């Protein structure tokens, strides 16, 4: 028997942890849509000069009408305004409706990856050249391999927690890096959808507003005709008094004004 010879074997085990993140972002956008239509009437041009002057004076005194900075007279109506411009005698009716267009955009990405590491294990064995007590080279190699593989397996289990932690960190880092990109994509999707929705809402508002501006036009004519009736009354009374009339009497009904007076000889 002689001194034993030694063999050394190294074994490795790969430790891998796969990660995957389903990243989805939703962005909601909204915008106010306005429909504004107007119609005009050459109202002042239909009146005589004297009647028009009296009408415009009565309009200026009417508490329901307010004078604008450019000298026009404006009457607020539900969802609209009526404006009379003394400069050219135009009556302008504006109808205004508003609504809100809303849209939601969605973008998603699937992020994935794998974190890998390697665990090592070492085993040693010994044998004799004369195979004393069965200690052959083959037996020594087998023993060293078994010890190395067992050590590598043990070290791999110890390494697994670290690999998992790094996988979680990699997953979170990838999500943070992708968040702006996915959010921007969702915003772009929402903006495109909002543009389509804005056009739809505007078409709907315009259709409703066309009906409304016609109705407001009738309301506007009734409003100015009420003032005009007062102007006619004032014009007739002023005319009668200029002619020296006495005992001027005014009788108003829903659709007529009667002015009676006596003239001296």
């Amino acid at each position: 028997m002689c001194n034993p010879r030694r063999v050394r074997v190294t074994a490795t085990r790969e430790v891998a942890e796969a990660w995957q993140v389903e990243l989805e972002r939703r962005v909601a956008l909204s915008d106010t849509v306005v429909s504004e239509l107007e119609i005009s009437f050459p109202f002042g041009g239909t009146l005589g000069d004297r009647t028009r002057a009296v009408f415009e004076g009565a309009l200026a005194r009417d508490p329901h009408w307010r004078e604008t900075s450019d000298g026009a007279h404006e009457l607020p109506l539900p969802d609209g305004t009526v404006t009379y411009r003394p400069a050219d005698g135009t009556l302008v009716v504006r109808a205004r409706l508003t609504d809100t267009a809303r849209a939601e955009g969605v973008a998603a990405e699937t992020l994935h990856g794998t974190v890998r590491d390697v665990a090592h294990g070492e085993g040693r064995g010994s044998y004799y050249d004369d195979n004393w007590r069965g200690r052959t080279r083959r037996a020594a190699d087998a023993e060293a391999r078994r010890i190395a593989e067992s050590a590598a397996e043990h070290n791999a289990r110890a390494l697994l927690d670290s690999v998992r932690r790094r996988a979680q960190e990699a997953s979170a880092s990838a999500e943070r890096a992708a968040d702006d990109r996915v959010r921007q994509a969702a915003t772009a999707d929402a903006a495109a959808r909002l543009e389509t929705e804005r056009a739809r809402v505007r078409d709907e508002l315009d259709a409703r507003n066309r009906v409304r501006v016609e109705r407001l036009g009738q309301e506007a004519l009734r409003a100015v005709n009420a003032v005009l009736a007062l102007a006619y009354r004032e014009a007739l009374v002023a005319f009668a008094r200029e002619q020296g009339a006495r005992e001027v009497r005014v009788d108003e009904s829903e659709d007529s004004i009667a002015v009676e007076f006596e003239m001296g000889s």
Side-chain angles (χ1 to χ4, degrees):
M1 181 181 69
C2 59
N3 291 330
R5 298 182 179 275
R6 303 188 183 281
V7 296
R8 184 175 63 184
V9 174
T10 300
T12 60
R13 290 288 185 273
E14 183 180 69
V15 181
E17 183 75 11
W19 57 267
Q20 180 170 305
V21 176
E22 299 290 339
L23 183 62
E24 180 180 281
R25 293 293 180 264
R26 294 177 177 270
V27 174
L29 297 179
S30 64
D31 190 23
T32 299
V33 181
V34 179
S35 172
E36 196 165 53
L37 302 176
E38 69 176 42
I39 54 177
S40 301
F41 304 93
F43 189 79
T46 64
L47 306 176
D49 291 344
R50 186 184 183 93
T51 303
R52 178 171 172 176
V54 175
F55 164 71
E56 291 176 356
L59 201 64
R61 296 190 300 275
D62 193 300
H64 299 96
W65 293 74
R66 66 178 182 87
E67 187 172 359
T68 64
S69 59
D70 59 357
H73 301 285
E74 188 174 85
L75 175 67
L77 292 175
D79 296 324
T81 58
V82 180
T83 304
Y84 176 77
R85 298 198 296 254
D88 57 9
T90 301
L91 185 70
V92 180
V93 180
R94 292 186 180 87
R96 177 186 173 91
L97 290 177
T98 63
D99 202 349
T100 302
R102 295 181 174 85
E104 184 180 70
V106 182
E109 280 191 23
T110 300
L111 313 173
H112 55 82
T114 303
V115 175
R116 290 183 170 84
D117 207 336
V118 177
H120 300 275
E122 185 177 281
R124 297 174 182 271
S126 59
Y127 66 96
Y128 294 93
D129 287 338
D130 60 1
N131 299 331
W132 181 71
R133 291 187 177 179
R135 304 297 295 273
T136 64
R137 174 64 186 266
R138 177 177 294 183
D141 287 341
E143 179 184 23
R145 187 172 303 280
R146 183 172 63 256
I147 294 171
E149 290 180 352
S150 177
E153 190 69 30
H154 176 270
N155 292 337
R157 287 194 296 270
L159 188 61
L160 183 58
D161 286 343
S162 172
V163 171
R164 285 176 175 170
R165 184 175 61 255
R166 286 152 53 195
Q168 291 174 351
E169 293 171 353
S171 172
S173 176
E175 184 172 353
R176 288 193 298 271
D179 186 73
D180 284 346
R181 180 175 65 252
V182 177
R183 195 174 298 279
Q184 288 174 9
T187 301
D189 182 45
R193 293 174 184 270
L194 181 63
E195 187 62 31
T196 300
E197 180 64 8
R198 188 186 291 117
R200 186 194 67 78
V201 172
R202 184 179 293 112
D203 288 345
E204 181 182 288
L205 280 180
D206 285 346
R208 289 167 49 199
N209 215 14
R210 280 190 288 272
V211 176
R212 177 147 192 82
V213 76
E214 294 292 336
R215 186 165 64 251
L216 285 180
Q218 298 303 314
E219 294 179 21
L221 290 175
R222 283 195 294 271
V224 294
N225 282 332
V227 178
L228 181 60
L230 177 62
Y232 274 130
R233 185 185 69 181
E234 292 181 356
L236 289 171
V237 171
F239 174 77
R241 287 175 176 161
E242 286 174 3
Q243 302 303 314
R246 293 178 289 107
E247 298 184 19
V248 178
R249 296 180 300 278
V250 179
D251 182 22
E252 296 185 42
S253 63
E254 185 176 347
D255 53 7
S256 65
I257 299 175
V259 179
E260 297 181 2
F261 53 88
E262 296 180 5
M263 299 291 293
S265 57

